[in-house]
Amino acid sequence: MAEQAYTVVSDSETTGEEKTSSTFPEIAIGIDIGTSQCSVAVWNGSQVELLRNTRNRKLMRSYVTFKDEVPAGGVSDELAHEYDMLSGAAIFNMKRLIGRVDTDPVVHASKSLPFLVQTLDIGVRPFIAALVNNMWRSTTPEEVLAIFLVELRAMAEVKLKRPVRNVVLTIPVSFSRFQLTRIERACAMAGLHVLRLMPEPTAVALLYAQQQQQSSHENMGSGSEKIALIFNMGAGYCDVAITATAGGVSQIKALAGSTVGGEDLLQNLMHHLLPNMDDLFSSHGIEEIKRMGLLRVATQDAIHKLSSDISVPINLDLGNGTKLSKVLDRAEFEEVNKGVFEKCEALIKRCLQDAKLEAEDVHDVIIVGGCSYIPMVRNIVTSICKRDELYSGMNPMEAAVRGAALEGAVASGISDPFGNLDLLTIQATPLSIGIQADGSNFVPIINQNTTTPVRKEQIFTTVHDNQTEALILVYEGDEKTVEENHLLGYFKITGIPPAPKGVPEINVCMDIDASNVLRVFAGVMLRGMPYMEVRMPTVDDGHGWSAQALHKTYGSNLDVVTVQKKTQH
Amino acid sequence: MWMRKLRILTPFSQKLLFTKRETITISSSYCKPEFDFHTVEQFFPQYIRRVNFRGNNLGFCGRSLFSCEAAQRNSCWNCCNAKAFLVCTDCGCVQPVDHSVDYFKIFGLEKKYGIEGENLERTYKDWQRKLHPDLVHTKSQKEREYAAEQSARVIDAYRTLTDPLSRAIYILKLEDVHVDEEEKIDDVELLTEMLEIRETVDEAADSQALKQIQEQCGVWTSGQIPIQGKFEQSSISFADALQSRKYIEALAAIRRMTYYKRANEEIVKKL
Ligand SMILES: [Zn+2]
């Protein structure tokens, strides 16, 4: 078959499947970019192997230091001390910042980080800068992530002695599709092609599916269905998934996620130890950054120690006459972070509810991520899931990247003679997707936790007599009003024949394919009127801003309402 | 008025309106993409062409039912094995969607309502292992399209059969009985009951109170709310009505199931 000479890839096609398949498919590597740590793994032909950097480390710090001309990331860079990362020259926590606008509370909470995070609070991207030779040099989370990924890629290419292009990346459940495009953008900047973006706990679910299949082979068992609840809490995010596994196939039953993690525990405790912290550090002077670094390191150490000790002494001289000297006990730490722990609790409960399961239905409870060592976190998980024992077959810090590497091999079409890759993840949508209708209500068309690929449609109609145009505003999220959800994009349907309100029928159809690409088809149901096909998301920066602008210009002139309520399954 | 005029004036739009109504009902009860496509294909050929151009990314492809492949319906397009089902038993080739294969057949079940205790999950996963878009890399573009379509249909079949209400609606549809989920209810008894349930739920100030109501009702055990019990009763009466082909009664049972399900969802939301 003759190959097409030139292919023009559409502007939005960043995740298109590879059209050509060579005889020796390249095995995609798995990457877990954590808020604080990151790792790379690959299927080596018989099992998953974590790649080690030149300093023989499997887990690398996620940060990039800007100094002089060349930025250096945590893959190769050697930190003399933790404080070096906190000098203002290093950007970290990019996973918390990527794809967020400056009205986002997560961005605001990042203002107490040593580098510069500036907001105008109007729904545009925040200004981020690193301190280089006493100057604030601006950058973006995408750029920082790309620099980091270039290092990871170089490291992997040296280790594997081959070019690396295809990757499977793990992402938090709560990431909006807009955030996913930012991750894809960073990968593209680093010359990487994203084969899959996998919600972290679903990567863990795939590893679990493989382990279950292997143990059922060993026991000559029938491989009956097992339900597992996966709780994943790292520095930036907390995710829960429920998976039903049988014969290597993992069906995701429900997903729930939120932007709470170790960073929140840390910041809450820092504020507790130094209540006027924000005022003291707000101007980001060199001395202040240094003090902030001291406080951060001391607080971090205290949290680590409280995982094994009941209490920990804190003695800190911030140098400006501020001295901290106290004994912090575990109960105090837990009280300070009550809100965070309550959120974790709520996530697990919601996930069980969405999966229509009781705690007793769950066979295995898996807890992974950096926060899995915190006693309170374990208490919450064990008490809601009503058990004493947690699943012990996984390394909590490596589970997600191992799962990503498995998916990388499976999605690259690799097979294993021993059946170790006879695996499949059937994904579900982490967030509902719908449009604005019935005023400023969010009307979901594809509900949360719907198995993908999926196609759903709903009929809408006009709200004014002789309304000839309708504005379709596509949102993602699970809140009742659109303002609380993420705007993915918008477009206008034109040429609606003049008619009394409520008569024209506008069909909105949403399709998510196996590569998780979302397309919206919409049009007025009349012969000769072409449908619109819009690949989402279409919004670029400042999506908070554009929704307001649209509202100001059009008011409710181009609104739509639902024709009928649907029974949701 | 406008619609009616249009309907009388142009026979084409009559067909359009009719078919469209069908589409609405079907898609609102249990997503059946192949029917949506049927409609869309008839009236928006340009739309279908675009969808077909989506290459191997597509979730469902709008292949016509009446293509040459479908003509020799039961035999494999590749090796002519006469027993080809979703996937050919001889050569392993994925077959195009055959709409005469209903959801029950996909799961190897008899066409009956009571399928509790059947291991649908296992059959579902067995099919997905053969059909899921992630696992058919080595196949041709054509077969990958078939696989995407079949895989999606198996997902729909699984979703429909595992939910008692969707299963009831689906089985009636197979019997050519139309279910209008949006019809107004005139069953006074049901109306009164729904009002009572709503009042009790609304009056419950917090989840504690909601649970108290549930416990007072006596039926409530772990995860079970009294409405769930009522739902199950209706489900049983549906099965009886269906067996004796009393479709009016079957429809009434579906109506009850629909309302209990909604009420249940409201309670769960408030909990
Ligand atoms: Zn065959």
Side-chain angles (χ1 to χ4, degrees):
Chain A
M1 221 164 54
E3 281 278 324
Q4 245 180 295
Y6 300 100
T7 325
V8 178
V9 179
S10 139
D11 191 32
S12 54
E13 305 274 339
T14 42
T15 52
E17 293 261 272
E18 287 290 83
K19 296 290 183 286
T20 52
S21 52
S22 61
T23 347
F24 299 104
E26 177 198 329
I27 304 180
I29 64 170
I31 303 180
D32 175 24
I33 302 254
T35 305
S36 108
Q37 285 183 315
C38 106
S39 49
V40 183
V42 68
W43 177 258
N44 68 7
S46 57
Q47 62 183 37
V48 169
E49 188 187 323
L50 264 80
L51 302 184
R52 291 171 184 269
N53 69 1
T54 47
R55 286 173 296 131
N56 205 28
R57 277 176 196 253
K58 291 192 281 184
L59 296 175
M60 293 151 271
R61 297 296 297 269
S62 309
Y63 72 89
V64 167
T65 308
F66 291 83
K67 48 190 170 195
D68 306 325
E69 293 303 306
V70 215
V75 180
S76 54
D77 198 28
E78 197 143 353
L79 284 176
H81 192 273
E82 182 80 21
Y83 298 117
D84 289 358
M85 205 179 98
L86 303 170
S87 63
I91 308 274
F92 52 95
N93 277 13
M94 48 247 188
K95 199 163 123 188
R96 291 262 277 198
L97 290 164
I98 200 160
R100 289 184 197 275
V101 288
D102 65 355
T103 43
D104 194 318
V106 177
V107 172
H108 280 255
S110 304
K111 284 181 174 176
S112 64
L113 296 174
F115 54 90
L116 197 63
V117 177
Q118 238 179 40
T119 61
L120 295 170
D121 307 330
I122 54 166
V124 293
R125 61 158 67 219
F127 179 82
I128 292 164
L131 193 60
V132 188
N133 298 330
N134 215 11
M135 296 252 284
W136 288 112
R137 178 198 182 282
S138 78
T139 183
T140 61
E142 290 87 337
E143 186 184 49
V144 175
L145 190 57
I147 294 167
F148 190 75
L149 284 167
V150 165
E151 283 197 1
L152 274 185
R153 182 185 178 191
M155 187 267 274
E157 287 182 341
V158 168
K159 288 278 157 185
L160 301 172
K161 300 184 183 70
R162 66 163 169 95
V164 168
R165 192 173 129 71
N166 292 341
V167 291
V168 171
L169 248 78
T170 59
I171 41 129
V173 168
S174 57
F175 258 24
S176 72
R177 280 175 180 270
F178 177 71
Q179 287 177 295
L180 299 189
T181 65
R182 300 295 87 193
I183 296 280
E184 281 164 359
R185 176 94 197 101
C187 286
M189 285 161 81
L192 294 170
H193 172 250
V194 177
L195 208 58
R196 289 282 184 282
L197 289 177
M198 217 184 176
E200 274 153 37
T202 72
V204 179
L206 190 60
L207 179 63
Y208 175 75
Q210 192 202 36
Q211 292 181 343
Q212 291 310 304
Q213 200 190 16
Q214 283 169 345
S215 70
S216 79
H217 280 171
E218 280 156 21
N219 307 329
M220 305 294 281
S222 55
S224 59
E225 183 182 272
K226 279 198 161 183
I227 310 275
L229 182 141
I230 296 151
F231 180 88
N232 171 36
M233 189 173 178
Y237 296 87
C238 179
D239 294 335
V240 189
I242 291 173
T243 173
T245 299
V249 181
S250 158
Q251 163 85 55
I252 304 304
K253 293 274 178 194
L255 289 169
S258 170
T259 316
V260 289
E263 180 66 30
D264 299 282
L265 300 175
L266 179 65
Q267 291 209 5
N268 289 342
L269 193 55
M270 280 164 75
H271 279 106
H272 175 70
L273 294 171
L274 195 64
N276 57 344
M277 178 183 106
D278 289 340
D279 299 333
L280 287 175
F281 296 145
S282 62
S283 67
H284 270 78
I286 308 239
E287 282 307 306
E288 289 162 342
I289 292 172
K290 208 166 146 190
R291 278 177 219 132
M292 204 190 310
L294 289 170
L295 177 64
R296 205 177 155 92
V297 172
T299 315
Q300 231 160 26
D301 287 349
I303 294 177
H304 285 171
K305 286 191 184 119
L306 284 176
S307 286
S308 48
D309 302 348
I310 291 296
S311 69
V312 55
I314 295 177
N315 291 298
L316 188 62
D317 186 353
L318 291 177
N320 61 340
T322 314
K323 281 184 185 172
L324 285 173
S325 181
K326 71 169 289 176
V327 175
L328 181 77
D329 60 24
R330 199 187 275 172
E332 199 175 339
F333 164 70
E334 288 165 359
E335 182 56 34
V336 167
N337 282 300
K338 210 171 149 210
V340 173
F341 295 129
E342 278 170 359
K343 264 191 194 155
C344 299
E345 233 178 288
L347 280 180
I348 305 173
K349 285 182 180 162
R350 203 187 85 200
C351 205
L352 278 166
Q353 211 170 70
D354 289 349
K356 300 189 176 70
L357 290 170
E358 295 293 316
E360 291 81 359
D361 300 327
V362 177
H363 296 102
D364 285 310
V365 177
I366 303 167
I367 167 165
V368 296
C371 291
S372 61
Y373 298 104
I374 296 171
M376 188 59 178
V377 171
R378 298 178 83 85
N379 284 348
I380 289 168
V381 178
T382 46
S383 78
I384 299 177
C385 296
K386 298 178 185 160
R387 64 202 63 216
D388 309 318
E389 290 289 308
L390 294 168
Y391 186 75
S392 60
M394 286 180 198
N395 179 334
M397 303 308 286
E398 296 178 3
V401 75
R402 283 181 183 277
L406 285 175
E407 177 76 11
V410 172
S412 305
I414 312 293
S415 59
D416 174 61
F418 303 103
N420 286 323
L421 288 179
D422 291 347
L423 304 172
L424 174 64
T425 317
I426 304 173
Q427 291 283 3
T429 50
L431 299 166
S432 301
I433 302 161
I435 69 164
Q436 174 180 325
D438 308 338
S440 64
N441 281 329
F442 172 66
V443 177
I445 294 178
I446 295 177
N447 275 291
Q448 186 197 29
N449 295 322
T450 302
T451 302
T452 56
V454 63
R455 172 179 290 240
K456 297 252 177 185
E457 63 175 342
Q458 197 162 337
I459 312 289
F460 297 87
T461 189
T462 51
V463 289
H464 304 287
D465 291 339
N466 301 318
Q467 181 182 336
T468 54
E469 297 186 332
L471 190 60
I472 305 294
L473 288 154
V474 181
Y475 283 88
E476 182 183 42
D478 286 292
E479 304 298 330
K480 278 202 172 109
T481 64
V482 289
E483 288 87 11
E484 299 163 281
N485 293 321
H486 314 282
L487 177 67
L488 292 182
Y490 38 84
F491 57 93
K492 214 161 65 171
I493 291 172
T494 54
I496 304 170
K501 64 179 175 197
V503 171
E505 301 208 300
I506 299 156
N507 187 8
V508 180
C509 174
M510 294 195 175
D511 180 304
I512 299 173
D513 69 17
S515 307
N516 196 29
V517 174
L518 169 68
R519 282 182 174 82
V520 178
F521 302 92
V524 53
M525 298 181 76
L526 266 183
R527 186 176 179 81
M529 289 307 297
Y531 262 53
M532 310 279 287
E533 178 195 323
V534 186
R535 191 186 151 121
M536 290 284 160
T538 61
V539 288
D540 209 349
D541 291 340
H543 37 302
W545 180 253
S546 49
Q548 279 171 24
L550 282 166
H551 186 74
K552 204 176 155 194
T553 313
Y554 294 106
S556 71
N557 288 342
L558 305 184
D559 273 12
V560 293
V561 289
T562 41
V563 164
Q564 53 182 204
K565 287 256 155 53
K566 291 175 73 175
T567 313
Q568 307 291 8
H569 300 293
Chain B
M1 304 123 258
W2 183 83
M3 299 248 276
R4 213 165 142 195
K5 217 181 234 171
L6 190 73
R7 209 180 288 187
I8 298 160
L9 287 176
T10 52
F12 179 79
S13 0
Q14 191 175 1
K15 194 179 171 196
L16 170 79
L17 286 169
F18 174 72
T19 325
K20 182 195 65 210
R21 290 258 168 260
E22 281 288 318
T23 316
I24 296 164
T25 329
I26 289 158
S27 61
S28 70
S29 50
Y30 38 80
C31 166
K32 290 237 316 167
E34 64 272 27
F35 272 88
D36 307 343
F37 261 103
H38 197 56
T39 324
V40 174
E41 192 174 10
Q42 264 178 301
F43 304 108
F44 308 101
Q46 77 285 355
Y47 171 58
I48 279 304
R49 230 176 295 131
R50 277 207 217 119
V51 172
N52 273 334
F53 268 119
R54 287 164 50 202
N56 59 358
N57 268 347
L58 88 177
F60 317 95
C61 108
R63 200 156 291 273
S64 163
L65 272 178
F66 310 105
S67 69
C68 49
E69 287 122 13
Q72 10 171 331
R73 189 171 271 158
N74 296 316
S75 57
C76 171
W77 59 270
N78 184 44
C79 73
C80 291
N81 164 25
K83 295 172 291 177
F85 194 39
L86 273 60
V87 175
C88 174
T89 45
D90 271 12
C91 71
C93 274
V94 182
Q95 304 298 310
V97 165
D98 176 355
H99 292 276
S100 71
V101 176
D102 67 43
Y103 290 173
F104 291 94
K105 272 192 210 150
I106 291 177
F107 282 90
L109 299 171
E110 222 184 298
K111 199 177 85 188
K112 61 171 196 248
Y113 182 70
I115 57 166
E116 281 79 13
E118 295 286 348
N119 197 343
L120 295 182
E121 184 95 23
R122 171 170 296 185
T123 320
Y124 167 67
K125 283 178 177 159
D126 282 344
W127 279 131
Q128 289 302 350
R129 218 170 304 148
K130 291 177 183 135
L131 298 168
H132 198 274
D134 274 4
L135 304 180
V136 290
H137 301 271
T138 50
K139 310 238 176 197
S140 67
Q141 170 79 18
K142 176 164 103 169
E143 242 192 293
R144 287 207 299 257
E145 283 179 19
Y146 290 158
E149 219 178 333
Q150 293 278 28
S151 165
R153 192 156 187 261
V154 170
I155 291 175
D156 279 332
Y158 177 68
R159 195 168 18 209
T160 305
L161 295 189
T162 44
D163 179 58
L165 178 57
S166 342
R167 186 168 71 235
I169 295 169
Y170 180 72
I171 204 163
L172 274 191
K173 200 200 139 250
L174 291 181
E175 297 286 317
D176 271 329
V177 180
H178 170 82
V179 181
D180 181 3
E181 284 187 83
E182 295 308 317
E183 67 174 346
K184 287 218 173 80
I185 36 166
D186 42 20
D187 181 341
V188 181
E189 195 192 332
L190 178 58
L191 271 173
T192 326
E193 199 185 325
M194 291 318 296
L195 278 175
E196 273 169 16
I197 291 172
R198 180 142 305 168
E199 262 170 39
T200 343
V201 172
D202 283 348
E203 278 162 20
D206 49 26
S207 67
Q208 189 97 33
L210 270 173
K211 279 187 180 163
Q212 240 170 18
I213 298 164
Q214 293 169 331
E215 273 154 27
Q216 275 166 10
C217 291
V219 201
W220 193 76
T221 55
S222 142
Q224 276 234 322
I225 42 188
I227 290 170
Q228 192 65 36
K230 290 182 178 182
F231 180 89
E232 274 155 25
Q233 278 170 17
S234 312
S235 171
I236 292 166
S237 24
F238 172 81
D240 293 344
L242 183 74
Q243 194 148 29
S244 43
R245 301 188 155 264
K246 291 177 180 158
Y247 295 128
I248 306 285
E249 280 172 35
L251 283 170
I254 283 184
R255 220 169 288 138
R256 285 183 164 266
M257 284 161 84
T258 308
Y259 278 88
Y260 291 140
K261 186 177 176 169
R262 276 186 202 159
N264 192 10
E265 280 166 357
E266 263 165 51
I267 293 182
V268 169
K269 243 182 246 166
K270 282 191 86 174
L271 265 178

